[in-house]
């Protein structure tokens, strides 16, 4: 069981990165969509606090994950996949990584430029900036709008991942499940 990635597949560190960040992002999407639909319910603000704190942690993890990927590169694609699948998968993997960072950054600065602090479970509190409504509104529009693109990307990626897990497990490996 290798920690680092090899040409043949992902190591343990990449797998832990993938599943920890992936599951937290799914949780952030669920909590974000739920709270956005709660109107004036006072519990909405508790959910927003949870979403913001977890979102900043995910942003930090995603930046570390991007650094790890840049250092390691991607494992070689399986030769038995057609070229279009290799290109699409590569595009999708970069899109997902960049989209998570863009969501985390836009959410964080939307709050800060809105003059609101961001508290990470009371351990660290980032004070809000002087309010700048125009910047905050633009970031809000981006955060809400772009979340739909991230959701669509995750849906396609998950369907492809499950499909490959089911059809190719023995041949080329479903590489986020079994470390090489
Ligand atoms: C049940 C859900 C999921 C399955 C079955 C799955 C499966 C996989 C597999 C098999 C790979 C490796 C592809 C290869 O062999 O090159 C992969 C890579 C990747 N996945 Fe997923 N995935 C899931 C959920 C997610 C989610 C929710 C995200 C992001 C929010 C995500 C982001 C990525 C990224 C960025 C990569 C590229 C490799 C890396 O740097 O980690 N995945 N996924
Ligand atoms: C890192 C990944 C993140 C993801 C995937 C994510 C995802 C989402 C989603 C899907 C929504 C619902 C959008 C809608 O339909 O209106 C949302 C709302 C929101 N997000 Fe994020 N978010 C992330 C990070 C952050 C961060 C770091 C902050 C702030 C520090 C933040 C602050 C907010 C706020 C304030 C809302 C509005 C909630 C409401 O209207 O009740 N997000 N986010």
């Amino acid at each position: 069981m290798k920690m680092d990635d090899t040409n043949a597949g992902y190591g343990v560190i990449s797998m832990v990165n993938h599943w920890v960040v992936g599951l937290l992002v799914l949780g952030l999407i669920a909590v974000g969509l739920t709270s956005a639909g709660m109107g004036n319910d006072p519990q909405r603000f508790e959910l927003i606090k949870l979403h913001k704190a977890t979102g900043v942690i995910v942003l930090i993890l995603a930046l570390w994950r991007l650094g790890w990927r840049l250092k390691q590169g991607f494992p070689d694609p399986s030769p038995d996949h057609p070229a279009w699948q290799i290109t699409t998968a590569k595009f999708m993997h970069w899109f997902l990584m960049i989209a998570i960072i863009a969501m985390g950054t836009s959410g964080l600065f939307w709050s800060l430029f809105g003059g609101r602090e961001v508290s990470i479970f009371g351990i660290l509190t980032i004070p809000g900036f002087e309010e700048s409504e125009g910047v905050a509104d633009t970031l809000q529009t981006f955060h809400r709008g772009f979340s739909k693109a991230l959701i669509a990307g995750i849906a396609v990626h998950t369907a492809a991942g499950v499909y490959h897990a089911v059809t190719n497990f023995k041949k080329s490996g479903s590489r986020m499940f079994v470390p090489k």
Side-chain angles (χ1 to χ4, degrees), residues 25 28-29 32-33 35-37 44 48 51-53 55-56 58-59 100 103-105 107-108 110-111 118 143-144 147-148 150-151:
V25 167
L28 281 171
I29 291 172
L33 291 176
S35 93
R44 177 175 181 184
I48 292 180
H51 179 87
K52 285 167 60 168
V56 174
V58 168
L59 174 59
I100 295 166
M103 285 299 292
T105 312
L108 174 63
W110 161 22
S111 283
V118 174
H143 194 78
R144 290 193 195 280
S147 69
K148 309 294 177 277
L150 175 61
I151 293 168

Side-chain angles (χ1 to χ4, degrees), residues 94-108:
W94 278 115
F95 170 78
L96 289 173
M97 246 178 316
I98 291 165
I100 295 166
I101 292 169
M103 285 299 292
T105 312
S106 60
L108 174 63

Side-chain angles (χ1 to χ4, degrees), residues 14-69:
S14 284
M15 288 193 186
V16 172
N17 278 345
H18 177 260
W19 291 110
V20 170
V21 173
L23 291 174
L24 286 174
V25 167
L26 293 180
L28 281 171
I29 291 172
V31 171
L33 291 176
T34 306
S35 93
M38 280 170 81
N40 288 330
D41 188 328
Q43 288 208 322
R44 177 175 181 184
F45 300 99
E46 292 308 312
L47 281 188
I48 292 180
K49 258 197 245 165
L50 172 69
H51 179 87
K52 285 167 60 168
T54 316
V56 174
I57 291 171
V58 168
L59 174 59
I60 294 165
L61 290 174
L63 287 169
W64 134 252
R65 179 180 175 182
L66 175 67
W68 176 255
R69 182 60 54 233

